[in-house]
Amino acid sequence: MHVLVGRHSEPSNSGRQGFWERHPTDVARDLIGWEVYVGGVGGRIVETEAYHQEDPASHSYPGPTARNAAMFGPAGRLYVYRSYGVHWCMNFVSGASGEGSAVLIRAIEPRHGLDVMRARRGRDDPRALCSGPGKLCQALAVTREHDGLRLDSPPFELREGPAGAVVAGPRIGITKAAEKPWRFGEAGSRFLSRPFSR
Protein backbone atom coordinates (compact mmCIF):
# COMPACT_ATOMS: atom_id res chain seq x y z
CA MET A 1 0.00 0.00 0.00
CA HIS A 2 1.32 3.44 -0.84
CA VAL A 3 1.06 6.54 1.30
CA LEU A 4 0.55 10.04 -0.07
CA VAL A 5 3.22 12.19 1.56
CA GLY A 6 2.35 15.49 -0.06
CA ARG A 7 4.98 17.88 -1.32
CA HIS A 8 8.62 18.09 -0.37
CA SER A 9 9.45 18.33 3.32
CA GLU A 10 10.85 21.80 2.69
CA PRO A 11 11.77 23.85 -0.38
CA SER A 12 14.38 22.01 -2.44
CA ASN A 13 17.50 24.11 -2.77
CA SER A 14 20.69 22.40 -3.89
CA GLY A 15 22.75 25.25 -2.48
CA ARG A 16 21.17 25.05 0.97
CA GLN A 17 23.63 24.24 3.74
CA GLY A 18 23.16 20.69 4.85
CA PHE A 19 20.66 19.60 2.18
CA TRP A 20 22.52 16.34 1.73
CA GLU A 21 23.41 15.90 5.38
CA ARG A 22 19.96 14.68 6.39
CA HIS A 23 18.30 11.32 6.84
CA PRO A 24 18.09 9.54 3.46
CA THR A 25 14.29 9.38 3.59
CA ASP A 26 14.14 13.19 3.66
CA VAL A 27 16.62 13.50 0.81
CA ALA A 28 14.91 10.74 -1.20
CA ARG A 29 11.54 12.46 -0.95
CA ASP A 30 12.93 15.91 -1.75
CA LEU A 31 14.78 14.73 -4.86
CA ILE A 32 11.53 13.83 -6.62
CA GLY A 33 11.11 16.43 -9.37
CA TRP A 34 14.78 17.38 -9.56
CA GLU A 35 16.69 16.85 -12.79
CA VAL A 36 19.95 14.93 -13.09
CA TYR A 37 22.29 15.05 -16.08
CA VAL A 38 25.50 13.20 -16.85
CA GLY A 39 27.37 14.87 -19.68
CA GLY A 40 24.16 16.69 -20.64
CA VAL A 41 22.08 13.50 -20.88
CA GLY A 42 19.28 12.86 -18.38
CA GLY A 43 15.96 14.08 -17.05
CA ARG A 44 13.61 14.41 -14.06
CA ILE A 45 13.95 12.13 -11.06
CA VAL A 46 10.60 10.40 -10.53
CA GLU A 47 11.51 7.50 -8.21
CA THR A 48 14.00 6.98 -5.37
CA GLU A 49 14.72 4.64 -2.46
CA ALA A 50 16.43 5.43 0.85
CA TYR A 51 19.06 3.27 2.58
CA HIS A 52 20.74 3.77 5.96
CA GLN A 53 23.44 1.90 7.89
CA GLU A 54 20.92 0.86 10.57
CA ASP A 55 18.81 -0.69 7.79
CA PRO A 56 19.54 -4.43 7.23
CA ALA A 57 18.82 -4.00 3.50
CA SER A 58 21.58 -1.42 3.11
CA HIS A 59 25.04 -2.18 1.70
CA SER A 60 26.44 -0.14 4.61
CA TYR A 61 24.83 -2.33 7.30
CA PRO A 62 27.94 -4.52 7.87
CA GLY A 63 30.17 -1.42 8.07
CA PRO A 64 32.69 0.16 5.68
CA THR A 65 34.29 -1.99 2.97
CA ALA A 66 36.23 -1.24 -0.19
CA ARG A 67 33.01 -1.68 -2.17
CA ASN A 68 30.75 0.62 -0.12
CA ALA A 69 33.30 3.22 1.06
CA ALA A 70 31.63 6.09 -0.82
CA MET A 71 28.42 5.53 1.17
CA PHE A 72 30.16 6.72 4.32
CA GLY A 73 30.67 10.21 3.00
CA PRO A 74 31.14 12.94 2.49
CA ALA A 75 27.56 13.59 1.43
CA GLY A 76 26.71 14.99 -1.99
CA ARG A 77 28.74 12.40 -3.87
CA LEU A 78 27.91 9.36 -5.95
CA TYR A 79 27.96 5.76 -4.74
CA VAL A 80 27.89 3.26 -7.63
CA TYR A 81 27.58 -0.51 -7.26
CA ARG A 82 26.89 -3.43 -9.57
CA SER A 83 23.62 -5.28 -8.99
CA TYR A 84 23.66 -9.07 -9.50
CA GLY A 85 26.96 -8.68 -11.34
CA VAL A 86 25.12 -7.16 -14.31
CA HIS A 87 23.68 -3.67 -13.79
CA TRP A 88 25.28 -0.52 -12.39
CA CYS A 89 23.15 1.42 -9.91
CA MET A 90 23.73 5.01 -8.78
CA ASN A 91 23.06 6.46 -5.37
CA PHE A 92 23.38 9.97 -3.97
CA VAL A 93 25.24 9.87 -0.65
CA SER A 94 23.43 11.60 2.23
CA GLY A 95 23.70 12.02 5.97
CA ALA A 96 26.66 12.93 8.13
CA SER A 97 30.11 11.61 7.25
CA GLY A 98 30.49 8.10 8.59
CA GLU A 99 26.72 7.49 8.70
CA GLY A 100 26.56 5.17 5.70
CA SER A 101 23.38 6.36 4.01
CA ALA A 102 22.42 7.01 0.40
CA VAL A 103 19.51 7.45 -1.97
CA LEU A 104 19.13 5.01 -4.87
CA ILE A 105 17.90 6.76 -8.02
CA ARG A 106 15.38 4.24 -9.35
CA ALA A 107 13.85 6.04 -12.33
CA ILE A 108 13.95 9.27 -14.28
CA GLU A 109 11.74 10.82 -16.93
CA PRO A 110 14.04 11.31 -19.95
CA ARG A 111 14.30 14.95 -21.02
CA HIS A 112 17.57 15.58 -22.88
CA GLY A 113 19.76 13.36 -25.02
CA LEU A 114 17.04 10.85 -25.89
CA ASP A 115 18.80 9.77 -29.08
CA VAL A 116 21.95 9.04 -27.07
CA MET A 117 19.93 7.08 -24.52
CA ARG A 118 18.17 5.11 -27.24
CA ALA A 119 21.51 4.14 -28.78
CA ARG A 120 22.93 3.08 -25.42
CA ARG A 121 19.82 1.13 -24.39
CA GLY A 122 18.79 -0.26 -27.79
CA ARG A 123 15.21 0.81 -27.07
CA ASP A 124 12.94 3.39 -28.73
CA ASP A 125 10.11 3.84 -26.21
CA PRO A 126 11.05 6.71 -23.84
CA ARG A 127 9.34 4.82 -20.99
CA ALA A 128 11.80 1.95 -21.41
CA LEU A 129 14.94 4.08 -21.28
CA CYS A 130 15.29 4.92 -17.58
CA SER A 131 12.50 3.05 -15.76
CA GLY A 132 14.79 1.20 -13.37
CA PRO A 133 18.15 1.78 -11.69
CA GLY A 134 20.12 -0.44 -14.08
CA LYS A 135 18.38 0.96 -17.14
CA LEU A 136 19.05 4.57 -16.21
CA CYS A 137 22.72 3.90 -15.50
CA GLN A 138 23.06 2.30 -18.93
CA ALA A 139 21.22 5.24 -20.52
CA LEU A 140 23.40 7.79 -18.73
CA ALA A 141 26.61 5.72 -19.09
CA VAL A 142 27.21 5.67 -15.31
CA THR A 143 29.72 3.04 -14.18
CA ARG A 144 31.97 2.26 -11.24
CA GLU A 145 34.35 4.90 -12.62
CA HIS A 146 31.91 7.52 -11.30
CA ASP A 147 31.93 6.11 -7.76
CA GLY A 148 32.83 8.80 -5.22
CA LEU A 149 32.57 11.74 -7.63
CA ARG A 150 30.97 15.00 -6.51
CA LEU A 151 27.42 15.65 -7.68
CA ASP A 152 28.05 19.39 -8.01
CA SER A 153 30.86 19.00 -10.55
CA PRO A 154 31.05 17.77 -14.15
CA PRO A 155 30.04 15.44 -15.65
CA PHE A 156 27.10 15.76 -13.25
CA GLU A 157 24.53 18.52 -13.15
CA LEU A 158 21.59 18.68 -10.76
CA ARG A 159 18.73 21.13 -11.23
CA GLU A 160 16.23 21.52 -8.45
CA GLY A 161 12.61 21.35 -9.50
CA PRO A 162 9.08 20.83 -8.22
CA ALA A 163 7.20 17.57 -8.04
CA GLY A 164 3.52 16.88 -8.09
CA ALA A 165 2.16 14.69 -5.33
CA VAL A 166 4.80 12.37 -3.87
CA VAL A 167 3.85 8.86 -2.79
CA ALA A 168 5.72 6.41 -0.59
CA GLY A 169 5.70 2.64 -0.31
CA PRO A 170 7.86 -0.45 0.30
CA ARG A 171 11.14 -0.77 -1.53
CA ILE A 172 11.55 -3.19 -4.42
CA GLY A 173 13.66 -6.33 -4.78
CA ILE A 174 14.79 -6.73 -1.17
CA THR A 175 13.98 -9.33 1.48
CA LYS A 176 15.28 -7.57 4.61
CA ALA A 177 13.37 -4.63 6.08
CA ALA A 178 10.99 -4.94 3.14
CA GLU A 179 8.17 -3.35 5.13
CA LYS A 180 9.84 0.07 5.39
CA PRO A 181 8.01 2.66 3.23
CA TRP A 182 11.30 4.08 1.97
CA ARG A 183 10.49 4.13 -1.74
CA PHE A 184 9.28 7.47 -3.08
CA GLY A 185 7.79 8.44 -6.42
CA GLU A 186 5.89 11.08 -8.29
CA ALA A 187 2.23 10.11 -8.27
CA GLY A 188 0.92 9.26 -11.72
CA SER A 189 4.29 9.30 -13.49
CA ARG A 190 4.46 7.06 -16.57
CA PHE A 191 8.19 6.59 -16.03
CA LEU A 192 8.26 4.70 -12.72
CA SER A 193 10.06 1.37 -12.60
CA ARG A 194 6.89 -0.12 -11.15
CA PRO A 195 3.55 1.41 -10.12
CA PHE A 196 2.91 1.97 -6.43
CA SER A 197 0.36 -0.44 -4.96
CA ARG A 198 -3.03 1.03 -4.25
Side-chain angles (χ1 to χ4, degrees), residues 133-150:
K135 294 177 184 179
L136 72 87
C137 279
Q138 185 179 23
L140 304 185
V142 171
T143 70
R144 182 71 177 182
E145 293 182 2
H146 296 94
D147 186 58
L149 296 184
R150 294 170 59 106

Side-chain angles (χ1 to χ4, degrees), residues 3-8 32 46 162-168 184-189:
V3 178
L4 186 67
V5 294
R7 296 187 178 88
H8 296 145
I32 302 299
V46 295
V166 177
V167 294
F184 300 89
E186 184 167 55
S189 173

Side-chain angles (χ1 to χ4, degrees), residues 8-157:
H8 296 145
S9 61
E10 53 185 299
S12 295
N13 180 349
S14 58
R16 185 174 64 238
Q17 178 97 16
F19 174 84
W20 299 107
E21 297 173 352
R22 299 180 295 152
H23 195 277
T25 54
D26 293 328
V27 177
R29 180 177 58 244
D30 288 355
L31 283 172
I32 302 299
W34 283 36
E35 297 178 26
V36 58
Y37 297 96
V38 183
V41 176
R44 289 181 70 248
I45 298 171
V46 295
E47 186 182 352
T48 60
E49 284 183 348
Y51 290 89
H52 189 278
Q53 187 179 6
E54 296 176 352
D55 164 23
S58 177
H59 290 171
S60 59
Y61 186 69
T65 66
R67 178 192 186 212
N68 68 18
M71 273 192 89
F72 290 85
R77 293 179 184 252
L78 203 69
Y79 165 52
V80 181
Y81 68 89
R82 193 184 282 278
S83 177
Y84 302 111
V86 178
H87 306 292
W88 295 110
C89 297
M90 73 172 180
N91 302 257
F92 294 174
V93 178
S94 64
S97 289
E99 190 172 293
S101 64
V103 175
L104 173 65
I105 308 303
R106 280 203 59 88
I108 66 172
E109 175 186 337
R111 286 284 181 92
H112 297 286
L114 269 73
D115 287 344
V116 174
M117 290 190 239
R118 287 184 176 112
R120 289 171 175 167
R121 290 272 302 124
R123 300 285 187 274
D124 289 327
D125 185 352
R127 290 176 295 181
L129 297 177
C130 300
S131 56
K135 294 177 184 179
L136 72 87
C137 279
Q138 185 179 23
L140 304 185
V142 171
T143 70
R144 182 71 177 182
E145 293 182 2
H146 296 94
D147 186 58
L149 296 184
R150 294 170 59 106
L151 290 167
D152 60 358
S153 299
F156 298 99
E157 181 185 359

